[in-house]
């Protein structure tokens, strides 16, 4: 289904934003409600469900935190995220140096955290049961941890040398956090440990020549502005302004050396890319200029390029229930990409008799059945 993603001609997302869209998030409980954040500070909530049941429909905006709202962000919203466990709460962070915790029902902030610098990224753990920490990456090299329960942001993680552009909790271990910085480093932390980070990822896997003056481990030869774990949490995908994407074994910290070729990355701030969920193989959807490049995560092959936006694509979000992709762009549009319907086969033709060479290799079944072997 993912291999046949195409622009959905029958589904529009109501156009509310008057400026570029930086961030999208679909709530994980039902996969029905989507948040978007714009570069003018506006936040919109959409219902993705087709309530009209007509083939062509528009996903309606249920509400907007618009410019006239008393608590609207003053500058660009860089990240929106639903509270992972129910839709009664969502979070947003902005270049106005704040992180806001919103009550979905009243559209009032239940809490506001203030920082000394621009906020690039924040993330809540999708699996945490024992803590309510929001990781926040800002202009400061210190990673801030805000506690939803106590309302304090006293906890900091020190180790980066420059601003922190991307943060992501592991979907496997609730205390493990990955951070990417303008210093070219990706660090993994266990937030229970006061001593500092668990590891700093090294693109050379420790095999640099002794003569090299660059002693410190770097993940990229540029700013690291995107991080995304695979859904099982076993691997971490990182993107840097060196036009490289790297896949790491998240338990050993090893660079798996998958080659994705040149992955164009012109973003000067955080880049919001996505990994599919529930597919085999898994795919990465990476904004690339006004297009979205689709890669197979474990082979590095670029499968296709999705074209439809008129300007820079800033963010992608994957809807796992229907294998759909939503993308937001500087052109103020949110586009829905859905799998093309496959032609039904006539009853008298079995799958077996079809010419095999037309199968995309990613569709092919890697399992063998026992009767083939014996």
């Amino acid at each position: 289904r993912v291999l046949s993603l195409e622009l959905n001609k029958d589904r529009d997302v109501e156009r509310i934003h008057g400026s570029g869209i930086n961030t999208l998030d679909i709530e994980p409980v039902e996969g029905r409600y989507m948040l978007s954040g714009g570069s003018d500070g506006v936040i919109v909530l959409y219902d993705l469900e087709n309530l009209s049941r007509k083939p062509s429909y528009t996903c309606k905006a249920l509400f907007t935190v618009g410019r006239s709202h008393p608590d609207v962000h003053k500058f660009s919203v860089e990240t929106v995220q639903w509270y992972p466990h129910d839709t009664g709460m969502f979070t947003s962070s902005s270049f106005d140096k704040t992180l806001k915790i919103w009550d979905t029902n009243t559209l009032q902030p239940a809490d506001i955290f203030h920082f000394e610098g621009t906020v690039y990224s924040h993330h809540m753990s999708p699996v945490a049961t024992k803590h309510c920490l929001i990781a926040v990456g800002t202009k400061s090299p210190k990673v801030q941890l805000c506690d939803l329960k106590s309302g304090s942001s006293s906890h900091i993680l020190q180790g980066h040398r420059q601003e922190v552009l991307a943060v992501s909790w592991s979907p496997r271990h609730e205390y493990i956090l990955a951070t990417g910085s303008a210093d070219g480093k990706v660090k993994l932390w266990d937030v229970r440990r006061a001593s500092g980070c668990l590891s700093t990822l090294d693109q050379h896997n420790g095999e640099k020549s002794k003569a090299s003056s660059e002693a410190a481990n770097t993940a990229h030869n540029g700013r690291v502005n995107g991080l995304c774990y695979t859904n099982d949490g076993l691997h971490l995908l990182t993107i840097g302004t060196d036009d490289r994407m790297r896949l790491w074994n998240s338990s050993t910290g090893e660079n798996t050396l998958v080659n994705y070729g040149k992955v164009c990355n012109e973003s000067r701030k955080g880049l919001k890319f996505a990994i599919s969920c529930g597919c085999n193989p898994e795919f990465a959807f990476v904004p690339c200029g006004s297009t979205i490049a689709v890669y197979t995560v474990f082979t590095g092959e670029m499968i296709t390029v999705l074209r439809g936006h008129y300007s820079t694509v800033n963010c992608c979000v994957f809807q796992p229930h229907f294998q759909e992709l939503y993308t937001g762009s500087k052109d103020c549009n949110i586009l829905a990409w859905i799998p093309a319907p496959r032609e039904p086969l006539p009853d008298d033709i079995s799958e077996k008799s079809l010419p095999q060479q037309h199968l995309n290799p990613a569709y092919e079944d890697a399992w063998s059945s026992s009767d083939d072997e014996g």
Side-chain angles (χ1 to χ4, degrees):
R1 285 172 66 83
V2 170
L3 293 170
S4 61
L5 278 180
E6 62 179 27
L7 195 54
N8 189 344
K9 300 171 192 67
D10 297 320
R11 183 180 324 172
D12 278 323
V13 180
E14 192 177 349
R15 187 170 165 154
I16 304 284
H17 286 281
S19 70
I21 294 156
N22 294 328
T23 170
L24 294 170
D25 192 40
I26 296 175
E27 46 86 15
V29 184
E30 292 178 80
R32 174 175 171 180
Y33 298 105
M34 180 169 73
L35 290 165
S36 63
S39 46
D40 54 0
V42 170
I43 297 170
V44 185
L45 188 154
Y46 305 89
D47 185 348
L48 300 179
E49 191 150 316
N50 180 6
L51 298 170
S52 72
R53 299 279 177 257
K54 293 182 181 137
S56 293
Y57 70 102
T58 298
C59 299
K60 288 283 181 222
L62 296 183
F63 67 66
T64 303
V65 180
R67 295 304 314 157
S68 57
H69 190 288
D71 298 297
V72 67
H73 281 290
K74 294 190 176 50
F75 303 124
S76 174
V77 174
E78 290 299 302
T79 313
V80 289
Q81 190 192 0
W82 285 102
Y83 180 60
H85 307 296
D86 69 62
T87 54
M89 188 164 81
F90 67 90
T91 55
S92 62
S93 60
S94 160
F95 277 178
D96 68 9
K97 307 180 184 177
T98 65
L99 163 70
K100 297 187 178 184
I101 317 299
W102 298 86
D103 179 323
T104 313
N105 300 313
T106 64
L107 277 197
Q108 301 300 318
D111 209 345
I112 300 179
F113 293 92
H114 296 270
F115 302 93
E116 284 170 17
T118 304
V119 183
Y120 289 106
S121 169
H122 78 269
H123 193 232
M124 280 178 283
S125 167
V127 293
T129 53
K130 301 185 184 69
H131 73 76
C132 285
L133 297 172
I134 305 179
V136 185
T138 70
K139 199 113 182 138
S140 155
K142 296 172 184 159
V143 181
Q144 312 269 345
L145 297 178
C146 298
D147 193 336
L148 269 185
K149 282 207 177 86
S150 68
S152 78
S153 55
S154 52
H155 202 109
I156 56 171
L157 305 173
Q158 299 198 55
H160 282 298
R161 300 243 172 92
Q162 293 180 47
E163 54 197 10
V164 178
L165 299 169
V167 294
S168 182
W169 292 96
S170 161
R172 193 177 188 87
H173 304 289
E174 66 174 292
Y175 293 106
I176 303 295
L177 175 71
T179 58
S181 162
D183 61 11
K185 294 186 165 67
V186 172
K187 290 182 178 284
L188 300 180
W189 314 79
D190 180 334
V191 298
R192 296 168 298 186
R193 284 173 44 154
S195 57
C197 84
L198 290 173
S199 63
T200 302
L201 301 184
D202 172 21
Q203 58 183 307
H204 303 290
N205 288 335
E207 292 175 14
K208 270 196 305 291
S209 70
K210 298 283 179 284
S212 162
S213 58
E214 182 60 74
N217 297 349
T218 55
H220 288 270
N221 303 326
R223 298 152 63 89
V224 181
N225 59 351
L227 297 173
C228 194
Y229 274 98
T230 53
N231 293 284
D232 56 14
L234 295 176
H235 292 86
L236 176 68
L237 201 55
T238 64
I239 285 186
T241 56
D242 55 357
D243 291 337
R244 288 281 175 262
M245 185 155 74
R246 295 203 164 94
L247 183 71
W248 309 82
N249 177 317
S250 57
S251 54
T252 64
E254 197 178 355
N255 179 358
T256 62
L257 304 175
V258 172
N259 182 6
Y260 299 94
K262 181 177 187 247
V263 179
C264 82
N265 174 2
E266 291 151 12
S267 174
R268 303 316 314 155
K269 48 187 191 176
L271 187 73
K272 310 280 194 279
F273 67 102
I275 294 180
S276 64
C277 177
C279 303
N280 183 17
E282 297 291 3
F283 300 92
F285 305 97
V286 184
C288 178
S290 63
T291 67
I292 301 98
V294 183
Y295 295 89
T296 42
V297 170
F298 293 104
T299 68
E301 184 188 0
M302 190 203 278
I303 296 286
T304 185
V305 174
L306 303 176
R307 302 174 197 279
H309 282 288
Y310 300 111
S311 186
T312 309
V313 179
N314 292 324
C315 51
C316 302
V317 64
F318 189 72
Q319 208 285 23
H321 302 56
F322 302 110
Q323 276 107 38
E324 297 170 342
L325 183 74
Y326 290 84
T327 56
S329 159
K330 204 170 168 178
D331 63 14
C332 310
N333 290 322
I334 298 173
L335 298 183
W337 308 82
I338 62 151
R342 287 168 68 190
E343 293 296 315
L345 292 171
D347 292 341
D348 55 334
I349 299 181
S350 75
E351 292 269 358
K352 288 273 190 317
S353 64
L354 286 175
Q356 289 300 307
Q357 67 270 25
H358 297 316
L359 267 182
N360 184 307
Y363 274 132
E364 279 174 18
D365 203 339
W367 300 97
S368 64
S369 60
S370 49
D371 36 303
D372 291 350
E373 288 158 15

